[in-house]
Amino acid sequence: MSGTAAACIILILFLLYKLIEPGLLFYVPELTPVIRLALLVLMIVLGMLYALLLICISASFKIRNCSVLLLYYLQYLFPAVKLIGKWMGYTQAVCHAYIHVMNRLVLQKKIQIAPESILVLVPHCLQWDKCPHKITRDVSNCRQCGHCPIGTLLTVTRSMHTSLAVATGGTLARQIIQQNHPKAIIAIACERDLISGMEDVMPLPVLGLLNSRPNGPCLNTDVDITALRNLLTTITGEEYERT
């Protein structure tokens, strides 16, 4: 019920703004972007407060996993906030906030999973675009030449005894997950693919890590290896040799 109320509040605020927007544009056009930003911040704050409420409820009743929290957050808040963010031109900021909240919901449970039960799932765009070796079916085909981060990812996951897989899209990613049966996933991708993937595998615990795109989308992308190491250490509770 609280989720429905939050969604209704967001919808009412959005409709009220659309009602007064023509007048604002005519009389005070310079304030319109400020009001849009304030409305977006309010939407995000409402979402964060609702997520915090669910976390508190979870802690009080000692729910063993956060799948219920994630489902409620997705069902009642994120679609509405994302729609408003897209309309205001803040889609990326909303997606980043969403991924951050989802990660926090997983980490706040302080789960510890054996490294062998963790899958690090990465996109094919991390591979050097001129590489002749096919790694989507067998990542060990990587020659670790240093042209792309795949070699470093392979070194890190091997040292931690976790699985590493490269996927070209959502269909292959789902196949890899079904074959490996992981208990948790650390997924690396862009905002769109990361969010859709997190939704697809719920309630399986997923930690999302955004890739960087110095050459534009889907071409020779990169990833923060230190951030990945920190996530692995947190979710396994084990330290490992840094290479």
Side-chain angles (χ1 to χ4, degrees):
M1 292 299 293
S2 59
T4 303
C8 288
I9 291 172
I10 291 173
L11 180 60
I12 290 170
L13 289 173
F14 175 73
L15 292 176
L16 283 175
Y17 176 78
K18 292 302 290 183
L19 184 65
I20 65 174
E21 184 181 30
L24 289 173
L25 288 172
F26 182 79
Y27 291 106
V28 283
E30 66 279 0
L31 288 181
T32 302
V34 177
I35 295 173
R36 285 182 177 177
L37 179 60
L39 184 60
L40 174 64
V41 170
L42 180 60
M43 299 302 100
I44 294 175
V45 168
L46 282 173
M48 296 296 185
L49 288 175
Y50 181 55
L52 181 61
L53 174 64
L54 291 176
I55 292 171
C56 292
I57 293 172
S58 172
S60 299
F61 289 94
K62 298 181 180 180
I63 297 176
R64 296 184 62 183
N65 60 67
C66 61
S67 60
V68 175
L69 305 183
L70 301 178
L71 287 169
Y72 269 114
Y73 188 80
L74 282 170
Q75 184 177 0
Y76 293 113
L77 286 179
F78 179 66
V81 174
K82 184 180 178 182
L83 179 64
I84 295 173
K86 182 178 180 180
W87 167 67
M88 292 182 173
Y90 293 99
T91 303
Q92 189 176 60
V94 171
C95 290
H96 286 188
Y98 169 81
I99 294 167
H100 177 73
V101 169
M102 294 288 278
N103 284 348
R104 294 303 303 169
L105 286 171
V106 173
L107 293 174
Q108 67 90 26
K109 301 305 294 183
K110 297 181 180 179
I111 56 175
Q112 290 193 351
I113 297 174
E116 296 80 6
S117 299
I118 297 173
L119 172 65
V120 178
L121 189 58
V122 306
H124 182 256
C125 60
L126 284 175
Q127 185 182 22
W128 183 39
D129 66 321
K130 294 181 175 59
C131 182
H133 305 291
K134 186 175 178 62
I135 61 172
T136 50
R137 290 295 178 183
D138 186 0
V139 72
S140 63
N141 287 332
C142 174
R143 298 299 186 267
Q144 297 182 278
C145 64
H147 279 101
C148 71
I150 297 294
T152 306
L153 288 169
L154 198 55
T155 299
V156 170
T157 52
R158 281 175 174 171
S159 70
M160 195 60 180
H161 307 293
T162 58
S163 300
L164 174 67
V166 180
T168 54
T171 301
L172 181 56
R174 285 187 287 271
Q175 291 176 0
I176 291 170
I177 293 169
Q178 290 173 358
Q179 292 168 1
N180 286 269
H181 302 290
K183 293 183 179 178
I185 298 172
I186 296 179
I188 299 170
C190 62
E191 290 86 353
R192 183 192 63 184
D193 292 348
L194 200 53
I195 290 172
S196 64
M198 292 171 115
E199 293 174 351
D200 283 346
V201 301
M202 285 175 58
L204 190 67
V206 181
L207 292 173
L209 183 59
L210 287 168
N211 60 3
S212 57
R213 287 146 282 183
N215 302 294
C218 304
L219 178 65
N220 295 331
T221 58
D222 204 352
V223 65
D224 187 341
I225 299 296
T226 300
L228 174 64
R229 286 170 170 159
N230 291 338
L231 288 177
L232 283 169
T233 300
T234 301
I235 200 170
T236 61
E238 298 182 11
E239 292 289 345
Y240 56 96
E241 182 180 355
R242 296 178 181 267
T243 55

